[in-house]
């Protein structure tokens, strides 16, 4: 499908680091979002399991299923002609045994149309990363705050402070050693992210990890101000779409009520 297309590849991602070209990534969860993000020239789209929070209304990513991810990934892949599409492997779909992890990753690639998968963790997932890469699937790692371990980590907390910095650095090195083409650093101190970025050959993609990463990833809904009640500290807010939507929908409702919509222009 992609052999002759202009789609960004995982290899290109790595050459962007070598050239010092910062990588802007964003999440998307459906066809319409992917089409817009792709038109904006974003090189990589993450179909994040943050889908659970922002689209499905769960309070964590833990209830998200592989079916949820396959459906969302397929919709995004239909909308994105140029961007690299990376799909999150959801909670417990890569932890039990290697054959299960391989089958589940294969679904995201074959049914979902993703070019890569992302999974969370360091040493605990190194064999899984190695096996997926050996099978031809580019893997993005994810260390620092790993939302699927929310219960173990005791909440949405910055990781890698004090003595824990060494552990996060080690996790990133292990993920690279296992063959990942890139790694997300989530919610860690900027200085630690800088050290990891300098230490690794693969690109680091930060969220809540400061300005020294090779790239940044943001959640679509946070970046666009889709939820008036939620805006995490690390979110860049580049629009206030919530108020635009509320104004437009209330204007429409008012016009229906007053008989100003539809007009003859909207009628057959
Ligand atoms: O699911 C997601 O959106 C993510 C990002 C926070 C990196 O994993």
């Amino acid at each position: 499908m992609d052999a002759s297309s202009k789609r960004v590849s995982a290899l290109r991602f790595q050459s962007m680091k070598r050239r010092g070209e910062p990588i802007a990534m964003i999440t998307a969860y459906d066809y319409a979002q992917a089409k817009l993000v792709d038109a904006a020239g974003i090189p990589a789209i993450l179909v994040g399991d943050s889908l659970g929070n922002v689209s499905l209304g769960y309070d964590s990513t833990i209830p998200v299923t592989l079916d949820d991810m396959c459906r969302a990934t397929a919709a995004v892949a239909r909308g994105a002609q140029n961007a690299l599409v990376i799909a999150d492997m959801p909670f417990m779909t890569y932890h039990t045994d290697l054959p299960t992890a391989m089958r589940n990753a294969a679904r995201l690639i074959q049914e979902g149309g993703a070019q890569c998968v992302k999974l969370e963790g360091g040493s605990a997932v190194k064999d899984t990363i190695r096996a997926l890469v050996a099978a031809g699937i580019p893997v993005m790692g994810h260390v620092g705050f790993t939302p699927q371990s929310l219960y173990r980590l005791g909440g949405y907390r910055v990781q890698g402070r004090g003595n824990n910095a060494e552990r996060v650095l080690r996790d990133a090195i292990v993920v690279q050693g296992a063959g990942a083409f890139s790694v997300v650093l989530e919610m860690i101190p900027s200085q630690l992210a800088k050290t990891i970025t300098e230490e690794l050959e693969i690109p680091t993609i930060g969220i809540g990890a400061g300005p020294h990463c090779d790239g940044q990833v943001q959640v679509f809904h946070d970046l666009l101000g889709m939820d008036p009640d939620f805006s995490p500290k690390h979110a860049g807010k580049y629009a206030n779409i919530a108020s635009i939507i509320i104004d437009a929908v209330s204007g429409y409702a008012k016009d229906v009520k007053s008989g100003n919509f539809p007009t003859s222009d909207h009628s057959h």
Side-chain angles (χ1 to χ4, degrees):
M1 172 186 71
D2 285 317
S4 61
S5 81
K6 49 196 179 327
R7 191 185 295 284
V8 175
S9 69
L11 283 179
R12 161 104 166 272
F13 226 62
Q14 291 184 294
S15 71
M16 287 169 86
K17 170 159 184 154
R18 284 195 294 275
R19 289 200 306 272
E21 186 183 335
I23 303 165
M25 253 175 81
I26 188 167
T27 65
Y29 313 96
D30 66 27
Y31 170 79
Q33 291 166 359
K35 207 169 155 189
L36 294 172
V37 163
D38 205 49
I42 283 279
I45 299 177
L46 172 66
V47 190
D49 59 355
S50 50
L51 162 88
N53 304 82
V54 299
S55 288
L56 303 179
Y58 298 135
D59 60 6
S60 78
T61 58
I62 290 169
V64 175
T65 66
L66 189 63
D67 284 342
D68 291 334
M69 290 305 299
C70 281
R71 199 166 298 115
T73 304
V76 167
R78 285 190 287 273
Q81 301 303 311
N82 305 305
L84 181 69
V85 176
I86 303 155
D88 256 341
M89 295 193 71
F91 181 70
M92 268 313 141
T93 60
Y94 52 99
H95 297 91
T96 53
D97 56 89
L98 273 184
T100 306
M102 305 284 280
R103 258 195 314 278
N104 290 340
R107 279 193 63 193
L108 291 166
I109 304 289
Q110 290 185 301
E111 277 176 47
Q115 289 86 48
C116 318
V117 298
K118 174 167 83 60
L119 47 83
E120 297 180 5
S123 307
V125 293
K126 71 175 188 313
D127 292 339
T128 309
I129 296 176
R130 214 183 290 284
L132 291 171
V133 172
I137 300 176
V139 177
M140 177 175 267
H142 183 157
V143 303
F145 178 73
T146 46
Q148 293 171 12
S149 307
L150 179 69
Y151 298 148
R152 180 173 58 79
L153 298 175
Y156 292 91
R157 297 202 171 134
V158 174
Q159 301 295 306
R161 285 196 164 127
N163 291 340
N164 282 326
E166 185 60 33
R167 180 185 52 79
V168 178
L169 171 62
R170 226 179 19 249
D171 280 344
I173 291 172
V174 164
V175 161
Q176 169 174 275
F181 74 95
S182 175
V183 62
V184 166
L185 307 179
E186 180 164 358
M187 279 171 65
I188 61 170
S190 309
Q191 203 49 43
L192 175 59
K194 183 169 188 284
T195 304
I196 295 173
T197 301
E198 286 166 0
E199 187 77 28
L200 297 190
E201 283 171 25
I202 59 172
T204 59
I205 307 294
I207 176 162
H212 306 296
C213 300
D214 298 303
Q216 298 290 328
V217 57
Q218 287 280 296
V219 170
F220 183 92
H221 292 60
D222 298 344
L223 192 84
L224 297 173
M226 295 279 279
D227 184 347
D229 303 322
F230 182 72
S231 181
K233 177 176 157 68
H234 57 250
K237 201 164 168 186
Y238 282 77
N240 189 352
I241 297 296
S243 70
I244 294 174
I245 293 176
I246 292 167
D247 284 354
V249 173
S250 61
Y252 159 70
K254 212 163 92 209
D255 283 351
V256 169
K257 208 166 163 184
S258 64
N260 287 334
F261 181 88
T263 67
S264 56
D265 284 350
H266 306 108
S267 306
H268 302 287

